[in-house]
Amino acid sequence: MAGEARDGRIVVVGASLAGLRAAETLRDEGFTGSLTVVGDEPHPPYDRPPLSKQVLLDEAPADSTGLPVRRDPDAEWRLGVAATGLDPLARRVLLADGESLPYDRLLIATGTRARPWPDPAGAALDGVFTLRTREDATGLAARLAAGPGRVLVVGAGFTGSEIASACRKRGLQVTVAERGPDPLVGALGGTLSRLAALMHREHGVDLRCGVTVTALLGDGAGRFTGADLSDGTRVEADVCVVALGAVRNVEWLAESGLAAGPRGIACDAGCRAFTRYGIVTDDIFVAGDVSRFPHPLFGYQMLSLEHWGNAVAQAEVAAHNMVSPGPLRRPHLSLPVFWSTQFGLNIKSVGVPTYSDHIVIAQGSLEAGRLAMVYGYRGRVTAAVTVDMAKSVDYYRHLIETAAPFPPPPGAADRALTADIPLPSDVPDPKGLSHEPVVALTGHLPDRALMVVQPPG
Amino acid sequence: MAPGTLLARITDYASRPDPYPLYARARAAGPVLRQDDGSFLVGGYHEIAALLHDPRMSADERARTTPTPYEGSRDASFLRLDDPEHHRLRTLAMRPFGPPHSPHRVDAMRGEIARITEELLAGLPADRPVDIVDDFAYPLPVIVICRLLGVPREDEPRFRAWSDALVATADIRPGEDTTEVERAGDRAGAELRQYLLDLAERRRGRPADDMLSAFVNEPDPSLRLTSQELAVTAALLLIAGHETTVNLITNGVLTLLRGPEHLRRLSREPGLLPVAVEELLRYEPPVHLRERVPLVDIEVAGTTLPAGTSVMLALASGNRDSRRFPDPDRFDPGRADNEHLGFGSGIHLCYGAPLARIEAQTALGALLPRLRTARLVEDPPPYRQNAMLRGPRHLRVRL
Ligand SMILES: Cc1cc2nc3c(=O)[nH]c(=O)nc-3n(C[C@H](O)[C@H](O)[C@H](O)COP(=O)(O)OP(=O)(O)OC[C@H]3O[C@@H](n4cnc5c(N)ncnc54)[C@H](O)[C@@H]3O)c2cc1C
């Protein structure tokens, strides 16, 4: 068995972070068979986090973010061609160019794409951007460099906030429109989102919360000129960035029989995909943003994460399991970790902040703009978010991993006065946000779409 | 030997050439050991890392409730302060040194460091064995930190005396009366601070390209250090800026001379040097022990560390913990996954690490060709008294 698992044909669909790390790990783990990596983007794997940070600040060109290759995965790269279907019975991946690739084991790592502006006419206006790919970033960076009069950012999640921050750093006027009460509220809850709002305003962002953008406007010649908001106001701007979260790239699996829906492809802790009947497959694995998987520290709820670190860790586990016999397989249990930089602040999150009922500010303070906020659920620590205090993250990670009691124990030298006064965590229903949260607990929402996937168009 | 006396054995000068078997015993006896004097010794990697990250562990010796024989008058630098004070001072001290305000400051010194290295190598005596410490590993970081801070190099003998006295107070000698050492340290500290303040004052309004100038000429009043803070911080940077790097370079030379196969490999693969320096920081770290004090009772690995007791974190022992590093007693210049404790960890992670790395990489890289035919005159070499900052006092080598 062990020998068998090390050869044969493996196909990886998705040639980005998770796909590359999985391919490297397959070879590290002794896989000697044929390996094919399919990606619909024309580029070798590249890194996305810098796209909304260094690239928009002109500190690095978008084509400089290629991912370092840890070892040559000795793979056949099929770049610039999309997988369009999966025949699990014949074990074939169908490609847009009409070819089909046979496999013995398959890894799905197709990630997500930017959620487009819902009205195609508005989305097509010159000056309207989303930000997910290298091309998006190149185009947007060029527009920002040209010095637009104002930029409108729709959605104040992590990506929207980072874009607004980059605009301000470049001295550009920027308006941010967010349907929720404050920026980042979906990911971090009410208290920290108020600090985020303060940061936006202190840095000169025209922040409008509790409003939606009702229409993107053009000048008749196809150029974006501004937008109407639900409060009756109009914003005049030359550039618009639609930062409404991400859509999982699962449509190509509509006929596959897999449990693939808008919240991702469900898999077990060993990264094996489920069929839509909840039966685990043994030859199809999932990793990265496109997956949803159960996590024991969070009540075995299914988690959807859009985290760089998760894509890497899950890809490594998936690859290991693809070439290992059952008893040697490992679970993907790593704790979710996410970071962001905006307005000169470093935000780091560990655990699942939305899996909480209460919070305390355990160290530092909102006033100082430097703090550690700890999230609890039914009396135990389930997450922590630090602002400019990243070196404290490991301590809280340990508390989460050991299900330490909430609120966390006293004694920190810079413990806040409020550290013993738990407040409601105030995590809103994601339905009220204009963007998707980057961490979603999906297990508690009976997901009808899990059964029926609408093919696009 | 009882585990309750291990710390005394480790700090005993006789153990200086090779404390590692004692660390191994400490780890075998339990990751957290109560010592006979009531203090604690922690030798396990994971336990040390957890305590370095624990915000309830104080770096401030004033948090000790157990009696200390001597109450000194030294002002605490950020090295021995807790957040938020630590953060404020460290951030201000970082402004002219590193990111985000001076992102390329240290990197831009590469050329200069290489030049100083070449000068020192060119001046090595030909008629007698070279003392790697006195002739090379000590002057290099001294010249660099003087240049960076804006301290005249000619004053080296003065601050060397102060530095020696201060570093002696950073040593621990369980059971010994250290009052005299502490007093001398206090005097030296006061003199050093006054000296640095005078230097800085001369830069006021006449800034040169150095850190003292940047400190006194900071335009934003909210970002200015008080003169007391400036003196304490500059003293810390001056001392920490060379007392550790000298050990790193010297230990590097010693390790390479003891393992000619590593010398050969590094000569073949010079690109490996940065990785090899990390391994050196794991295998022979300049800083062996750090003290912390729990602010409340803290439980680690089933042992309660009572609030106010002295807890010695044996960083060098953690670096050799087989639960963290495979084959830990082997020096492997290509070691991957090397998250060592050589620079500490957590909020006090070494401020000067980027500079120390460049200095060690440059120094060892430049020495490599000469070391291939070199021989140690004595092995083990004579060591410095200090158990916390461990390194050879001399390292005589025939090049
Ligand atoms: C602007 C931006 C900033 C970010 N910042 C951070 C950050 O600061 N911190 C953090 O933790 N995370 C951040 N992230 C998230 C992080 O980049 C993702 O978690 C990570 O890219 C996920 O990797 P993945 O391989 O799972 O998916 P993706 O990177 O989405 O890759 C999937 C790949 O599959 C391709 N593909 C899709 N469908 C098909 C198909 N049918 N056939 C062939 N190929 C297909 C896609 O085109 C894509 O190349 C950021 C993301 C963006 C966009």
Side-chain angles (χ1 to χ4, degrees):
Chain A
M1 172 71 197
E4 256 169 64
R6 294 205 148 71
D7 52 29
R9 291 162 302 191
I10 290 183
V11 171
V12 177
V13 184
S16 186
L17 181 60
L20 171 65
R21 292 293 176 249
E24 292 166 344
T25 308
L26 284 169
R27 294 301 186 199
D28 275 344
E29 300 256 349
F31 176 68
T32 54
S34 91
L35 178 58
T36 307
V37 186
V38 182
D40 60 1
E41 295 189 77
H43 318 289
Y46 62 90
D47 214 11
R48 296 180 204 277
L51 299 183
S52 55
K53 304 173 183 78
Q54 291 86 338
V55 172
L56 293 191
L57 290 171
D58 252 355
E59 291 170 4
D63 59 11
S64 71
T65 73
L67 281 165
V69 177
R70 299 203 285 220
R71 63 168 291 156
D72 180 3
D74 187 18
E76 188 190 339
W77 294 88
R78 300 293 301 267
L79 299 178
V81 59
T84 51
L86 171 65
D87 181 344
L89 205 57
R91 292 187 170 189
R92 280 181 171 275
V93 174
L94 314 179
L95 301 186
D97 61 9
E99 232 194 289
S100 78
L101 300 173
Y103 64 81
D104 298 308
R105 273 150 295 157
L106 169 68
L107 177 69
I108 301 172
T110 46
T112 65
R113 62 182 182 275
R115 181 183 300 284
W117 181 249
D119 164 34
L125 290 170
D126 179 37
V128 175
F129 291 87
T130 54
L131 183 52
R132 179 88 203 167
T133 66
R134 187 176 266 189
E135 287 75 15
D136 295 339
T138 304
L140 181 56
R143 281 306 167 91
L144 298 186
R150 178 169 293 275
V151 178
L152 170 66
V153 178
V154 189
F158 280 107
T159 308
S161 299
E162 288 180 5
I163 294 165
S165 163
C167 287
R168 286 309 297 147
K169 216 162 167 190
R170 300 187 69 132
L172 300 172
Q173 298 300 317
V174 57
T175 299
V176 174
E178 163 62 45
R179 185 157 107 187
D182 283 307
L184 303 177
V185 66
L188 305 180
T191 304
L192 265 186
S193 72
R194 283 193 286 279
L195 175 66
L198 203 70
M199 294 317 301
H200 277 256
R201 296 203 166 105
E202 268 184 3
H203 284 84
V205 174
D206 169 30
L207 176 67
R208 319 268 188 100
C209 292
V211 296
T212 52
V213 174
T214 51
L216 301 185
L217 311 172
D219 65 355
R223 252 188 312 263
F224 171 77
T225 56
D228 283 334
L229 305 186
S230 57
D231 61 0
T233 58
R234 176 169 288 191
V235 176
E236 288 182 9
D238 315 310
V239 174
C240 173
V241 193
V242 178
L244 293 176
V247 183
R248 281 163 170 88
N249 290 318
V250 292
E251 292 78 1
W252 67 285
L253 296 166
E255 311 284 306
S256 68
L258 293 180
R263 287 177 179 250
I265 305 165
C267 63
D268 72 357
C271 310
R272 296 179 298 182
F274 285 125
T275 71
R276 64 177 50 161
Y277 303 117
I279 298 170
V280 74
T281 59
D282 207 35
D283 51 359
I284 304 178
F285 293 73
V286 193
D289 283 9
V290 76
S291 74
R292 57 197 286 260
F293 61 96
H295 203 302
L297 276 175
F298 308 100
Y300 287 98
Q301 289 226 35
M302 302 296 277
L303 296 185
S304 288
L305 304 176
E306 292 173 47
H307 294 173
W308 194 95
N310 181 67
V312 173
Q314 199 175 15
E316 287 170 356
V317 172
H320 169 86
N321 290 347
M322 288 176 86
V323 295
S324 303
L328 296 183
R329 286 181 177 165
R330 291 200 307 252
H332 171 55
L333 299 178
S334 62
L335 211 53
V337 178
F338 178 86
W339 85 96
S340 171
T341 40
Q342 39 188 283
F343 304 109
L345 294 181
N346 169 290
I347 299 177
K348 212 159 172 188
S349 155
V350 57
V352 179
T354 45
Y355 189 76
S356 64
D357 47 29
H358 286 84
I359 53 145
V360 288
I361 295 176
Q363 290 177 259
S365 68
L366 286 173
E367 293 73 23
R370 180 165 189 273
L371 55 90
M373 185 143 102
V374 178
Y375 296 69
Y377 183 67
R378 297 192 177 174
R380 72 176 172 89
V381 176
T382 51
V385 174
T386 60
V387 178
D388 267 11
M389 224 188 230
K391 291 196 182 107
S392 304
V393 164
D394 273 2
Y395 173 65
Y396 295 106
R397 176 204 300 267
H398 183 70
L399 296 187
I400 299 165
E401 280 170 348
T402 54
F406 176 90
D414 57 345
R415 184 171 170 89
L417 281 172
T418 49
D420 295 310
I421 313 171
L423 306 168
S425 70
D426 206 5
V427 176
D429 186 330
K431 287 196 208 79
L433 307 171
S434 49
H435 55 87
E436 296 269 305
V438 290
V439 182
L441 296 159
T442 65
H444 64 301
L445 297 173
D447 195 350
R448 294 184 67 224
L450 198 144
M451 302 295 291
V452 188
V453 180
Q454 298 291 342
Chain B
M1 176 202 336
T5 57
L6 270 169
L7 186 57
R9 278 291 305 278
I10 290 165
T11 54
D12 182 352
Y13 185 71
S15 308
R16 208 67 79 247
D18 188 12
Y20 294 101
L22 293 170
Y23 293 141
R25 278 199 211 194
R27 291 191 304 272
V32 179
L33 297 175
R34 189 177 186 280
Q35 299 299 288
D36 288 350
D37 65 357
S39 70
F40 285 81
L41 173 68
V42 186
Y45 178 92
H46 297 288
E47 291 74 19
I48 294 170
L51 290 170
L52 285 172
H53 283 104
D54 197 319
R56 301 168 299 166
M57 291 295 279
S58 175
D60 192 336
E61 47 201 335
R62 290 167 301 191
R64 269 196 307 247
T65 52
T66 42
T68 15
Y70 177 81
E71 294 297 334
S73 63
R74 268 166 293 143
D75 294 286
S77 66
F78 62 79
L79 185 68
R80 299 232 57 168
L81 286 177
D82 299 328
D83 277 354
E85 247 331 71
H86 157 265
H87 179 72
R88 186 180 71 82
L89 286 173
R90 181 177 162 123
T91 308
L92 296 185
M94 197 51 109
R95 283 177 71 82
F97 181 72
H101 301 284
S102 314
H104 306 298
R105 179 61 181 255
V106 171
D107 213 49
M109 290 196 71
R110 270 181 198 276
E112 201 164 341
I113 293 171
R115 234 181 355 265
I116 299 167
T117 303
E118 288 310 325
E119 267 171 43
L120 288 170
L121 287 183
L124 288 184
D127 51 338
R128 59 167 168 89
V130 168
D131 181 352
I132 292 293
V133 178
D134 285 346
D135 297 333
F136 184 69
Y138 179 79
L140 173 61
V142 168
I143 296 170
V144 172
I145 194 67
C146 283
R147 166 72 194 80
L148 197 58
L149 275 178
V151 171
R153 198 170 138 189
E154 309 80 76
D155 289 346
E156 188 270 324
R158 298 175 70 191
F159 65 75
R160 180 170 208 175
W162 292 323
S163 182
D164 286 346
L166 277 168
V167 167
T169 66
D171 198 7
I172 51 158
R173 310 175 193 205
E176 281 181 46
D177 178 8
T178 55
T179 310
E180 227 359 88
V181 175
E182 303 272 357
R183 278 212 186 104
D186 280 356
R187 280 193 301 273
E191 286 170 27
L192 174 60
R193 288 196 298 274
Q194 192 53 50
Y195 163 80
L196 288 165
L197 262 186
D198 292 345
L199 275 183
E201 270 318 310
R202 278 184 251 151
R203 306 289 203 303
R204 196 181 291 279
R206 281 189 300 265
D209 174 31
D210 57 53
M211 289 176 66
L212 285 179
S213 296
F215 286 143
V216 283
N217 295 299
E218 169 58 53
D220 182 342
S222 71
L223 299 174
R224 240 174 255 154
L225 295 162
T226 65
S227 45
Q228 186 63 8
E229 289 166 352
L230 187 149
V232 171
T233 302
L236 170 69
L237 300 185
L238 180 63
I239 294 176
H242 70 276
E243 286 290 353
T244 46
T245 317
V246 53
N247 291 344
L248 180 58
I249 297 172
T250 312
N251 288 335
V253 172
L254 181 60
T255 304
L256 292 178
L257 288 179
R258 282 175 176 169
E261 71 276 17
H262 306 312
L263 265 177
R264 282 193 296 275
R265 178 158 178 212
L266 283 176
S267 308
R268 267 197 326 270
E269 305 172 57
L272 208 57
L273 210 55
V275 180
V277 167
E278 294 312 302
E279 174 68 345
L280 205 52
L281 282 156
R282 182 193 72 82
Y283 184 78
E284 284 279 22
V287 180
H288 270 230
L289 303 163
R290 293 302 299 154
E291 189 200 24
R292 291 287 187 273
V293 183
L295 294 170
V296 290
D297 291 1
I298 294 179
E299 204 195 288
V300 191
T303 305
T304 299
L305 303 173
T309 49
S310 168
V311 179
M312 274 298 163
L313 306 178
L315 306 178
S317 169
N319 280 349
R320 301 280 188 114
D321 188 339
S322 60
R323 290 179 306 161
R324 177 61 184 81
F325 300 104
D327 205 358
D329 290 321
R330 198 167 69 88
F331 178 77
D332 171 5
R335 188 181 285 271
D337 182 26
N338 195 352
E339 210 176 310
H340 57 73
L341 300 171
F343 286 128
S345 192
I347 61 169
H348 290 279
L349 182 75
C350 176
Y351 168 101
L355 182 61
R357 286 191 162 108
I358 293 180
E359 289 178 343
Q361 290 164 13
T362 310
L364 293 175
L367 265 179
L368 267 183
R370 305 187 182 220
L371 293 182
R372 297 210 46 188
T373 52
R375 270 183 312 106
L376 282 170
V377 172
E378 51 190 332
D379 189 6
Y383 270 81
R384 301 168 73 177
Q385 161 60 37
N386 205 304
M388 316 261 274
L389 304 176
R390 174 180 167 272
R393 174 62 196 91
H394 297 288
L395 187 66
R396 279 178 275 268
V397 166
R398 227 177 277 285
L399 288 182

